Amino acid sequence: MESRSNLIIVESPAKARTIEKILGKEYRVKSSFGHIRDLEKKELGIDIQHDFRPKYVVPEEKKKVVSELKKAVKDSSRIYLASDEDREGEAIAWHLSEVLGLSPDNSKRIVFHEITPPAIKEALQTPRDINHDLVNAQQARRILDRLVGYELSPILWKKVKPSLSAGRVQSVAVRLIVEREREIHRFEPKSYYRVTGEFYIVRDGKVSLVNAELSERFESREEAESFLEAIKDKRFRVADITRKPSERTPPAPFTTSTLQQEASRKLRFSVAYTMSLAQRLYEAGHITYMRTDSVNLSKLALGAAKKWITEHYGEEYSKPRQYKTRSRGAQEAHEAIRPTYLDKEKVPGSAAEQKLYDLIRKRTLASQMAPAKLEKTTITIVPEGSDKSFVATGETILFDGYLKVYSDKEEEEEGEGKGFLPPLEVGTPLQYKQITATERFTQPPARYNEAMLVRKLEELGIGRPSTYAPTITTIQQRGYVVKEDRPGESRQIHLLVLKEEKEKIEKKTKKETFGKERGKLFPSDIGMVVNDFLLDHFPDILDYNFTATIEKQFDEIAQGKMNWTEMIRRFYEEFHPKVEETERSTGRTTGERVLGKDPESGEEVIVKVGRYGPVVQLGRGEGDKKPRYARLRKGQLIETITLEEALGLFRLPRTVGTFEDTEIIASIGRYGPYLRHGNTFYSIPNGEDPHTITEERAIEIIREKREAEKKKVIRIFEEDPSLQVLNGRWGPYIKHGKKNYRIPKGQKAEELTYEACMEIIRKADEKKGKG
DNA sequence: CAGTGAGCGAGCTTCCGCTTGACTT
C-alpha cells in the first residue's frame, strides 16, 4: 500500500472541496454531511431508568456516508475532526470518533477560524482532544428537546387531533402569532386629527413652498375645527430655524436572520426561498456559509473591502470595522455572510440568485464604509398670537458615505421635497395656501410575516440559523398558522380644509382602506386551541424565557460546572408528572364556544374544532334530532365569529333559480364559493357572495364559463377523439386520454397535425421511461 | 376537484439541529 494519507472530516462538502484544493495531495478531505447519528426516531430513544441513557443510531440515509468515512479512515494514518467550533460541531466530532472507532492516538480535533491557507495551517498545528463537557451540553440539549417533543405531541394526538406536534421552539413560535392576533382583535382604533399646512412666500417673483405639520394632534373634529377657525385670518411667520448635524452608521454584515429579513423586505423572498438561493450561491463558491449568527468578517475580507472601496470611491469612503454580535445565544462558529470575492459584481445563475448576491455584496461593502453625514433642518412656523406651531423638517445629505451602495430605510426619500427646504430666515412672513385637518386612526400592532417572526425568535434566543426556515415551514404544515393576503376593509375619514381664497372651512369625507395584509402569518383555530391547551398545562415550556433559562444551564455543563444527567433529571422530575396529570385529568379539547340561540329554531349555536376542522353546530342533538353542521369559511375564527355570521353559514346550499329546466344551487366548497347546475360546477368569482347572488348573475356566470370552454379546444382530430389540443391556464397543451403533454418551443398549437402530436407524445413518453 | 359530522378500530403521527441531494409538478 502506498503512503497513508491524512484525513480531514468537515461538516459540509462544499467546505471539503475548498480545503482539499488548499492543502493538496497529502490530505484527503471528506464531509460528514452534518450529524451522522441521532436518537432512535421511532421511540423516545432515552432510557429514563438508567440516567437518561441515549439510544443513538445511524439513520438509514446516513449509512452510505458512514461506510465511506470508514473506508477513508482505514486508508489514513491520521484523522482530523474539523467540524464547526460550537456545541453541535463538538458533538459531531464525538459521534464520528465513536462510530468510526477513533482514539486520541490516531485522531485529533481541530477547528478552522477561516478557510484560508494560513488559518488552515495554524489549525493543523494546534490540534486538541474532544471537549467532552461541550459534547455533554449538546447531549443535554438534544435529550431535553426529545423529551419535550415526544411527550407533549402524543398528548395532543389524544386530546386535540392526530399528527399534531409540540416542541420547545415551534410552540413558542405559534404562541407569538396567536398572542399578536389577539392583540390586534382587542385593539380599538381611536380617531384623531392631524393638521398639515402648505405655506408660501413670493420674493422677487419667485415662489417658495414649505410643507409643515402641526406639532399637536387633536382628539376630536370639534377641536380641530375650532383651531382652524381660530387661525383662519391669522398671519404666519417663521419663528425658529435650527440645523443639526447627524450621522448615520452602516448596518452590520449579514447573519442568517438579518439576510432573511432584508431579502423579505427588499426582494419579497420567503425565508425558505432566500435560504435555497443562498445555498446555491454557497455551493458555487460565491458566498461564505449562509447559516451563521456571526457578524465577524475575516481579515482577508476586511482587506479586500478596504481595497475595493478605496479604489472605487476614494479613501474617505473607507472605514474598516469589526462588528459585535448582539444576539442572545450566538455561537459564532462561522463568519458573517459575505461574497467570497468582493470584487466580483456578477455571478452566473438565475436572476434571483444575482439579486440576493447583490444584496449580500452591497451590505458587506457598506459595513466597511464611512458613516453618512446629514444635516437636519427644522423650521417652526407660528400663527400670530397662537401658542401652537407648525414644524417643517428636512434632511440633506452632506456626505453620502455608505449610502452610496446601500440604503437601509424602507423607502428612501418618500414624498418629494421631503429632504429639501427653501432658504428662509427667522421672521419671514408666510401665507398659507391650504391647511388641512385629516382624520387618522391609531394602528394596532403589526402582524408577523415570516422574517419578522425569525427576528423575534432570534431576539428571544430561540432556535438557530439552521432551523429558522424549517420551523416556519413546520408550523404552517401542522396547520397552526397560515400565510395569507387579506384585502382590507374600507372606512370613511373626515377632512377639514381651509383654503387661502375661501372664507369657510370645507368639510369633506374620503374613503381609505385599512388592515390590508400581504404574506402575513395568521393563526388557525387549531393553532389557537393547541396554544391555549399547552399554555394551560405547560406554561413553563411555553414561557418566552424558557430557552434562555436552560441555555444558561447548558453553558454551565459546557464549562464542566454541572452534570448533564443531573440537570435533565431535575427538569424531568418537574415536567413528567405534569404530562401524566394532563393525560389523566383532561378531556378532549375542542375550543368549543357557545354563540347563543338560533332565533328560528331555538337551538343552541356552537362553534368548535371538529374532526375535519372548525365547524358551527346547530343544536345539541338531543333526542332524535340530529345536529346540523356547517364548515367555517376562510378568515373566520372560532374566537371571533358572531352568531349572525355563524347562522349565515346554514343558509347554504341555496337554490338561486332555474336555468334550462334545471335548478342552480349556490354553495361553498373546499375550493371556495361555487354554483352547481346539474352535474357541472362553476366557481363564483372573488368578491361575489353565494348568499346573495341573483339568478340573472348565476346564468351569466354559467354562460361565460361555457364560452371559455369553447375557446379551450384549439384542435381535435378525426383519427383519435381522445387526442385534443387545448388552451389551459399556462397556455396551449396536448391532452391524450388522461395524460397531458407540453408543446415544444417553436411549434404553433393551431398548426399541429395529428402526426406531429403523436410524435411529441412518443418522445415525451420515451424520455420519461428513461428517467 | 366541490354535501362530510354515528361509530368501529388498526396503525400511524412527534422534537431540534447539523448537513445535502433525489425526488416530483
Side-chain angles (χ1 to χ4, degrees):
Chain A
M1 175 166 271
E2 53 178 309
S3 77
R4 311 183 87 197
S5 58
N6 296 298
L7 173 67
I8 299 178
I9 304 175
V10 296
E11 291 177 42
S12 146
K15 201 166 161 185
R17 283 197 296 274
T18 1
I19 295 171
E20 196 148 49
K21 254 185 242 160
I22 291 173
L23 285 175
K25 283 199 182 98
E26 285 165 51
Y27 292 85
R28 275 180 88 188
V29 189
K30 299 217 68 153
S31 151
S32 75
F33 294 82
H35 275 292
I36 54 149
R37 237 180 21 165
D38 193 14
L39 297 172
E40 169 67 66
K41 198 172 171 291
K42 288 195 210 81
E43 43 179 282
L44 186 62
I46 300 161
D47 188 346
I48 310 274
Q49 308 308 322
H50 295 94
D51 255 351
F52 301 94
R53 194 165 60 211
K55 183 174 167 191
Y56 290 121
V57 292
V58 177
E60 205 49 50
E61 66 273 17
K62 288 286 170 155
K63 292 213 162 125
K64 206 174 142 204
V65 181
V66 169
S67 76
E68 274 173 32
L69 287 174
K70 275 185 180 160
K71 233 186 280 165
V73 165
K74 243 199 217 159
D75 296 339
S76 314
S77 50
R78 201 160 180 80
I79 292 114
Y80 294 98
L81 301 171
S83 40
D84 298 341
E85 189 180 24
D86 59 13
R87 199 160 69 196
E88 296 297 327
E90 204 67 18
I92 288 173
W94 175 70
H95 282 301
L96 280 168
S97 109
E98 292 272 300
V99 173
L100 303 176
L102 308 179
S103 74
D105 303 330
N106 65 0
S107 70
K108 283 288 167 196
R109 170 87 170 105
I110 57 169
V111 292
F112 301 132
H113 292 109
E114 278 180 42
I115 309 300
T116 56
I120 290 172
K121 268 171 208 145
E122 198 201 301
L124 285 165
Q125 275 154 26
T126 50
R128 59 172 174 84
D129 291 328
I130 288 169
N131 177 345
H132 287 278
D133 291 330
L134 202 50
V135 173
N136 288 340
Q138 192 273 348
Q139 297 201 85
R141 197 280 304 154
R142 179 69 192 91
I143 283 160
L144 185 138
D145 281 338
R146 173 55 68 90
L147 288 170
V148 170
Y150 273 40
E151 294 212 351
L152 288 188
S153 302
I155 300 186
L156 296 180
W157 306 344
K158 234 188 253 172
K159 308 289 178 185
V160 188
K161 206 179 122 177
S163 306
L164 294 177
S165 65
R168 174 176 59 83
V169 175
Q170 59 169 287
S171 297
V172 175
V174 173
R175 180 180 175 190
L176 284 164
I177 291 166
V178 169
E179 288 189 346
R180 178 56 53 91
E181 191 67 22
R182 288 185 173 145
E183 272 178 69
I184 294 169
H185 281 292
R186 263 201 313 265
F187 187 84
E188 283 174 28
K190 282 202 180 64
S191 106
Y192 63 89
Y193 282 78
R194 183 174 167 254
V195 184
T196 52
E198 262 179 81
F199 301 92
Y200 71 95
I201 181 171
V202 184
R203 279 189 299 202
D204 310 328
K206 271 186 164 179
V207 185
S208 301
L209 262 177
V210 196
N211 289 310
E213 183 182 340
L214 193 73
S215 53
E216 197 176 307
R217 288 166 174 185
F218 298 108
E219 279 180 19
S220 68
R221 201 172 353 157
E222 290 71 32
E223 282 176 70
E225 195 175 349
S226 67
F227 171 73
L228 291 186
E229 198 62 53
I231 60 164
K232 198 165 73 172
D233 309 317
K234 290 280 164 30
R235 290 202 304 215
F236 292 77
R237 64 179 189 89
V238 175
D240 190 33
I241 298 178
T242 59
R243 286 178 221 283
K244 247 203 220 145
S246 73
E247 261 194 4
R248 207 184 292 163
T249 46
F254 280 134
T255 60
T256 304
S257 140
T258 52
L259 175 67
Q260 289 171 348
Q261 287 159 46
E262 285 290 270
S264 159
R265 206 163 62 102
K266 291 187 165 170
L267 308 174
R268 298 201 154 275
F269 290 171
S270 78
V271 160
Y273 188 51
T274 297
M275 290 313 280
S276 89
L277 291 174
Q279 177 86 30
R280 266 184 262 166
L281 290 170
Y282 167 68
E283 281 171 19
H286 299 313
I287 59 167
T288 55
Y289 197 56
M290 64 285 159
R291 291 185 275 264
T292 176
D293 51 22
S294 167
V295 286
N296 273 310
L297 292 176
S298 70
K299 281 181 217 126
L300 186 92
L302 290 179
K306 189 177 173 187
K307 184 161 170 272
W308 200 92
I309 294 161
T310 312
E311 273 172 15
H312 289 79
Y313 300 132
E315 211 167 318
E316 70 275 22
Y317 278 92
S318 165
K319 184 162 193 301
R321 296 186 194 75
Q322 198 62 269
Y323 291 79
K324 286 234 168 63
T325 304
R326 38 160 201 93
S327 58
R328 264 210 256 188
Q331 311 223 356
E332 304 197 77
H334 302 94
E335 263 190 81
I337 305 170
R338 62 162 174 90
T340 333
Y341 308 105
L342 257 180
D343 47 359
K344 194 184 242 177
E345 285 185 53
K346 293 263 172 288
V347 292
S350 69
E353 280 170 59
Q354 177 63 46
K355 274 187 194 162
L356 193 70
Y357 176 79
D358 209 46
L359 191 68
I360 294 169
R361 181 168 173 275
K362 287 183 170 161
R363 176 88 165 210
T364 310
L365 283 172
S367 80
Q368 298 305 309
M369 288 174 74
K373 288 199 172 68
L374 312 162
E375 188 179 70
K376 204 177 164 187
T377 307
T378 311
I379 299 180
T380 312
I381 299 162
V382 197
E384 197 183 28
S386 168
D387 57 344
K388 298 187 172 29
S389 56
F390 286 84
V391 175
T393 58
E395 206 173 53
T396 41
I397 296 174
L398 303 178
F399 173 65
D400 54 358
Y402 81 95
L403 293 177
K404 210 172 194 67
V405 298
Y406 197 86
S407 81
D408 41 6
K409 281 267 173 71
E410 191 70 41
E411 282 290 314
E412 204 77 34
E413 300 306 313
E414 202 193 345
E416 277 166 52
K418 221 246 160 189
F420 178 78
L421 289 177
L424 293 170
E425 305 82 40
V426 173
T428 309
L430 292 170
Q431 178 60 253
Y432 70 82
K433 200 170 153 200
Q434 181 171 311
I435 294 175
T436 314
T438 312
E439 186 176 23
R440 289 290 184 95
F441 288 90
T442 51
Q443 299 283 329
R447 269 195 192 87
Y448 289 104
N449 63 26
E450 293 185 351
M452 287 156 70
L453 183 63
V454 168
R455 184 198 165 109
K456 185 68 188 172
L457 289 173
E458 186 193 32
E459 193 185 307
L460 294 167
I462 298 171
R464 303 277 313 130
S466 66
T467 60
Y468 295 139
T471 299
I472 282 168
T473 308
T474 302
I475 60 175
Q476 293 180 62
Q477 266 172 3
R478 298 276 175 276
Y480 294 149
V481 163
V482 282
K483 185 162 102 176
E484 264 176 17
D485 301 342
R486 293 277 163 95
E489 295 164 69
S490 176
R491 70 181 158 205
Q492 206 171 52
I493 57 166
H494 296 89
L495 293 150
L496 302 169
V497 184
L498 183 59
K499 279 191 177 148
E500 179 186 11
E501 64 275 10
K502 304 227 172 102
E503 299 264 293
K504 261 177 66 189
I505 296 167
E506 263 182 88
K507 289 181 186 171
K508 292 191 197 168
T509 58
K510 215 167 81 177
K511 285 232 164 123
E512 69 165 16
T513 50
F514 70 101
K516 190 176 172 201
E517 298 279 30
R518 206 172 145 187
K520 292 291 175 68
L521 300 173
F522 294 80
S524 66
D525 285 302
I526 209 81
M528 288 180 146
V529 168
V530 167
N531 177 68
D532 294 352
F533 178 84
L534 291 173
L535 205 54
D536 226 18
H537 298 96
F538 304 95
D540 298 350
I541 307 291
L542 278 258
D543 192 297
Y544 292 127
N545 287 315
F546 176 64
T547 294
T549 312
I550 56 166
E551 277 291 342
K552 272 189 206 132
Q553 300 179 39
F554 296 150
D555 282 347
E556 300 246 310
I557 296 169
Q559 288 161 30
K561 292 179 191 159
M562 197 187 276
N563 179 295
W564 81 265
T565 53
E566 261 306 294
M567 185 236 149
I568 293 294
R569 189 184 54 73
R570 275 205 313 275
F571 166 75
Y572 195 70
E573 279 174 359
E574 274 271 310
F575 174 67
H576 188 68
K578 285 186 193 148
V579 173
E580 292 198 324
E581 164 70 19
T582 307
E583 213 151 52
R584 217 180 35 241
S585 66
T586 61
R588 261 200 104 70
T589 312
T590 60
E592 182 177 303
R593 230 183 109 218
V594 179
L595 295 182
K597 289 221 158 75
D598 173 20
E600 263 176 49
S601 61
E603 297 272 21
E604 215 170 7
V605 182
I606 303 141
V607 273
K608 63 176 191 182
V609 176
R611 276 203 291 164
Y612 305 102
V615 287
V616 195
Q617 183 182 331
L618 194 61
R620 286 285 182 189
E622 278 137 9
D624 291 345
K625 232 174 154 196
K626 273 189 189 172
R628 286 179 69 199
Y629 295 94
R631 198 183 244 281
L632 259 62
R633 293 187 56 190
K634 194 174 156 186
Q636 289 182 329
L637 285 174
I638 288 178
E639 194 157 313
T640 50
I641 194 169
T642 61
L643 179 63
E644 232 355 75
E645 290 164 339
L647 289 171
L649 296 170
F650 289 106
R651 293 195 196 109
L652 294 174
R654 132 178 188 269
T655 306
V656 179
T658 324
F659 177 53
E660 294 172 349
D661 298 330
T662 312
E663 276 191 336
I664 308 172
I665 292 161
S667 190
I668 297 165
R670 271 209 295 158
Y671 303 96
Y674 68 92
L675 295 171
R676 186 168 63 82
H677 183 241
N679 286 323
T680 327
F681 292 87
Y682 304 86
S683 343
I684 296 175
N686 249 346
E688 289 181 68
D689 192 344
H691 292 99
T692 54
I693 200 159
T694 60
E695 179 178 19
E696 228 182 340
R697 175 68 186 132
I699 293 170
E700 202 177 300
I701 289 173
I702 293 171
R703 288 213 165 109
E704 276 169 19
K705 168 105 185 267
R706 286 181 180 174
E707 272 305 302
E709 282 290 321
K710 265 190 210 158
K711 280 186 200 150
K712 203 178 140 189
V713 182
I714 300 173
R715 279 188 74 88
I716 46 168
F717 302 95
E718 285 175 5
E719 290 93 330
D720 184 353
S722 71
L723 181 70
Q724 289 177 305
V725 181
L726 301 174
N727 209 356
R729 226 178 353 146
W730 296 287
Y733 66 100
I734 298 170
K735 186 181 178 77
H736 186 232
K738 284 192 168 174
K739 283 168 116 179
N740 296 338
Y741 299 88
R742 255 161 75 172
I743 296 169
K745 269 186 195 151
Q747 301 204 38
K748 287 223 173 80
E750 313 82 55
E751 294 165 11
L752 283 174
T753 60
Y754 174 72
E755 286 75 21
C757 288
M758 292 315 285
E759 178 69 11
I760 291 166
I761 291 169
R762 198 182 53 78
K763 276 189 181 161
D765 284 344
E766 198 174 89
K767 207 173 165 191
K768 221 181 174 181
K770 261 189 218 162

